[in-house]
Amino acid sequence: MESCIFCRIVEKELQSKIAYEDEEVVAFHDINPQAPIHVLIVPRKHIPTLNEATEEERSLLGKLMLVAQKLAKELGTAESGYRIVLNTNKDAGQSVFHIHLHLLGGRSFRWPPG
Ligand code: 5GP
Ligand code: ZN
C-alpha cells in the first residue's frame, strides 16, 4: 500500500519518532499531539478500518491493546489514567485509513467526547 502514509512510516520510508516496534506492530508519536502523551499504535499489516478486520486479526487486535498498556506504563501514565481511541470512518473523524489506536495521556479527558 504505497500510498498509505502509515504503511510508509512502518516501512521507514517516512520518518517518525518510534516508541515501540516488533514483527507485528509499530508505535510512534503523533505528529500533531492532542495530549502530552499521544502515541499511535498500528499493525504492520494494512487494514483500512475496524470494519475490515476479521477473525484472522483477533490476536493482532489484542496485541495492539497490550502494546498500548505497555507504553502507558513506560510513559508513566498508567496510574494517573489514559485513553485509547480507535476512530472509524467519517463521523468519528478518521483521517488515515490504516487502522490505529491512539494512546492519549498526561492530562485529564472529558466524557462524553466531542
Ligand atoms: P485519525 O484521525 O485517522 O484517527 O488519526 C490520524 C492521526 O495521524 C492524527 O492524529 C494525525 O495527527 C496523525 N498523523 C497524520 N499524519 C502523520 C504523520 O505523517 N506522522 C505522524 N507521526 N502522525 C501523523
Ligand atoms: Zn497502510
Side-chain angles (χ1 to χ4, degrees):
M1 274 278 172
E2 278 308 301
S3 60
C4 170
I5 197 161
F6 286 179
C7 281
R8 295 183 68 197
I9 286 174
V10 162
E11 295 299 325
K12 307 254 175 68
E13 291 172 22
L14 286 179
Q15 194 267 335
S16 71
K17 196 174 160 207
I18 291 187
Y20 173 85
E21 65 180 320
D22 64 25
E23 65 285 349
E24 292 178 309
V25 173
V26 179
F28 49 93
H29 294 270
D30 197 292
I31 203 167
N32 182 24
Q34 301 302 311
I37 295 166
H38 188 173
V39 178
L40 302 173
I41 302 150
V42 315
R44 289 187 185 275
K45 180 176 183 179
H46 180 88
I47 304 165
T49 83
L50 186 58
N51 291 338
E52 285 77 39
T54 68
E55 192 62 29
E56 197 183 320
E57 282 91 36
R58 177 203 284 253
S59 75
L60 182 58
L61 294 172
K63 174 89 173 272
L64 298 179
M65 284 288 186
L66 292 177
V67 170
Q69 179 218 64
K70 173 185 164 65
L71 285 170
K73 288 178 179 171
E74 282 179 12
L75 296 171
T77 195
E79 292 308 316
S80 53
Y82 58 94
R83 185 168 288 177
I84 303 297
V85 173
L86 199 174
N87 292 322
T88 300
N89 280 342
K90 182 165 62 69
D91 279 357
Q94 185 177 4
S95 60
V96 177
F97 288 83
H98 179 131
I99 201 168
H100 52 281
L101 296 186
H102 295 254
L103 165 63
L104 296 149
R107 67 172 173 86
S108 59
F109 299 98
R110 297 210 185 106
W111 192 264

